[in-house]
Each structure stands twice: as structure tokens, then as C-alpha cells.
Amino acid sequence: REREREREREPAAKMKGVAVRSKVVVKGVAAQARPSALHARGRPRRGDLQVSCALTKEKKQEVVSKLKSELETSTAVVGFTFKGVTVPDLEKLRGDMPDDASLVIAKNTLMKRAANEVEGWSEMSQFCTGSNAFLFLREDLKGGFKGLRDLQDSYKKSDNPVDLNGGCCDGEYLTLEDIKVLEKLPSKLELIAKIASCINQVPTRLAVGVKQVPTKLATGVKKISEGDVEPAEQAASA
């Protein structure tokens, strides 16, 4: 009887062992599948992170390329602090600037990179610190500074005044005093107007001078014919 009981127990034990092993296998499968389930819920995978970093680098390179384009067509660049300046005031500054000027807000590191890659702008690294907005000036220097000076006046008594950090022009770093001299320079249109005015005055003065020559000559001839003066004296007086 005991042998019969043992024989009856053996199949039950075997079935129990299979069941236990089955639970372990199922549990292992569930454990392996769990990370995929987590990814499905929105947690980024390693590959997703790599793609995200690559897109960030592409965006930075795009910004650097735009800054280089601005530098290549600019006469001068001035940096100023914009901390505390409201968006409407910045938009007003953009509206007050000449058509050939531009305002760009970019990270100092990206601006330094762009400046180092364009000949003549490496000195910009001296004022690429802190809160910086960059004013790109071209032909109308005086008009470009006007809106910036108005912005400075409106924030003069605020907790965050608008200060100039420095500038760069023709490969040279510009101090605050240099910037004052720069903004007094006439625009291209003003120079053209002055040159045109000078050119118009030349024929007028020439015509007046030519007109006076025959008048003096006729007077001299008349006096000589009348015997008032000798020809040598008349020539000397002319």
C-alpha cells in the first residue's frame, strides 16, 4: 500500500514542479517585456535621446549660419543689455530701426562661434557676456542708433537700465566713446547728398570765374587804348 501511495504521489509532484517552472518562465517573460511597455507609455529610449541631441546640434548650427549671414553684410555691431525690457518695447525698437538694420537676440556662445568664423569680427568676444541683444548696423548708422537711444532713455530710471556692452567695426573693438563717435557719422544718403551739392557748386563757381575774365580783359583793353596805363602795368594788375 505504501508503494502504491508513493506511485500516486510521483505524478502529482511532477505536475507541481512543471507548474512552478511555468510561473518562473512566465514571470521572466513579463520582466523582459516590461521595458517595452514603459517605452510605449512615453519614456524615451536611448535612440530617441540620440536623435534629440542631433536635432539640437542642427538647430544651433542653423542659428550660427544666420548670425554669420548678418555679420557678412554689416558695417558695425553693438551689444546691449535687454534684461527687464518688455517684448512690446523690443518690437517698437525693431519698428524704429532703418530697413537695413536688424536686431538679434542670441546666446553669447553662438555669437562668439559665428564671429570667429567670419573675418573681421573676432573682437566681438570682448562684449559677448551677460544679457545681450545684438544690433546689426549697415548704411544708416545714425538712424540705427536713434531707436536704441530712445529705448535707453525710457529705461533710464528702471531697475534694469539698458546699457551698451560694446561694439565692433572694421575689425576693431569699440568702446563706449568709440560708439558715440560712430553714431555721429553721416549715412550713405547724407554723404551722397553732400557730394552732389559740392559737384553742383563747381560749375557755378567756374562759370562766375570765366564770366569775370572777359570783363577784366575788356576793361584793360579799353584803358590801354585810351592811354591811361601801360600794357605791362595792366598785365601786372590783372
Side-chain angles (χ1 to χ4, degrees):
R1 291 180 181 177
E2 290 180 0
R3 289 179 180 177
E4 291 177 356
R5 290 176 182 176
E6 289 178 0
R7 290 174 182 174
E8 292 176 357
R9 290 173 184 173
E10 285 179 1
K14 289 180 180 180
M15 293 297 295
K16 185 177 181 180
V18 171
V20 171
R21 285 194 297 272
S22 299
K23 289 182 180 179
V24 172
V25 171
V26 172
K27 185 177 180 181
V29 172
Q32 293 175 358
R34 195 170 296 167
S36 298
L38 292 175
H39 292 315
R41 293 171 188 169
R43 182 175 296 181
R45 301 182 183 182
R46 184 177 179 181
D48 296 338
L49 291 175
Q50 291 176 348
V51 172
S52 178
C53 292
L55 291 175
T56 302
K57 290 180 180 179
E58 289 178 0
K59 183 64 177 178
K60 288 181 179 179
Q61 186 58 44
E62 182 181 347
V63 173
V64 171
S65 298
K66 289 182 179 180
L67 293 174
K68 288 171 63 177
S69 299
E70 293 283 351
L71 291 172
E72 289 170 351
T73 58
S74 296
T75 302
V77 179
V78 176
F80 63 93
T81 58
F82 70 98
K83 183 179 180 181
V85 179
T86 63
V87 173
D89 286 339
L90 286 176
E91 291 300 322
K92 183 178 183 303
L93 173 60
R94 283 193 171 94
D96 293 340
M97 292 188 309
D99 294 336
D100 64 344
S102 55
L103 177 66
V104 178
I105 297 176
K107 290 185 177 181
N108 290 317
T109 54
L110 299 181
M111 178 58 76
K112 286 181 182 179
R113 186 190 305 178
N116 288 328
E117 293 180 7
V118 180
E119 184 179 358
W121 297 102
S122 59
E123 294 298 322
M124 286 186 61
S125 59
Q126 296 193 44
F127 62 90
C128 286
T129 57
S131 168
N132 242 333
F134 300 95
L135 180 62
F136 293 84
L137 302 170
R138 293 175 177 86
E139 294 180 359
D140 190 359
L141 298 174
K142 188 182 296 184
F145 277 106
K146 185 180 182 305
L148 179 57
R149 293 304 185 185
D150 292 342
L151 182 66
Q152 282 187 296
D153 291 339
S154 61
Y155 280 82
K156 187 178 295 183
K157 296 182 180 180
S158 68
D159 296 333
N160 299 300
V162 177
D163 296 323
L164 299 182
N165 296 326
C168 185
C169 178
D170 198 22
E172 299 291 335
Y173 170 73
L174 301 179
T175 64
L176 298 183
E177 292 299 322
D178 295 333
I179 292 175
K180 290 180 180 179
V181 175
L182 181 67
E183 66 178 306
K184 293 180 181 178
L185 294 178
S187 65
K188 183 179 179 180
L189 292 177
E190 290 175 339
L191 285 174
I192 293 174
K194 288 183 179 180
I195 294 172
S197 177
C198 293
I199 292 174
N200 290 333
Q201 290 177 0
V202 170
T204 303
R205 292 177 180 176
L206 181 61
V208 172
V210 171
K211 185 178 180 180
Q212 289 177 350
V213 170
T215 303
K216 290 182 179 180
L217 182 61
T219 303
V221 171
K222 182 179 180 181
K223 288 184 178 182
I224 292 173
S225 63
E226 293 175 354
D228 294 338
V229 293
E230 294 294 330
E233 294 179 2
Q234 176 62 28
S237 63

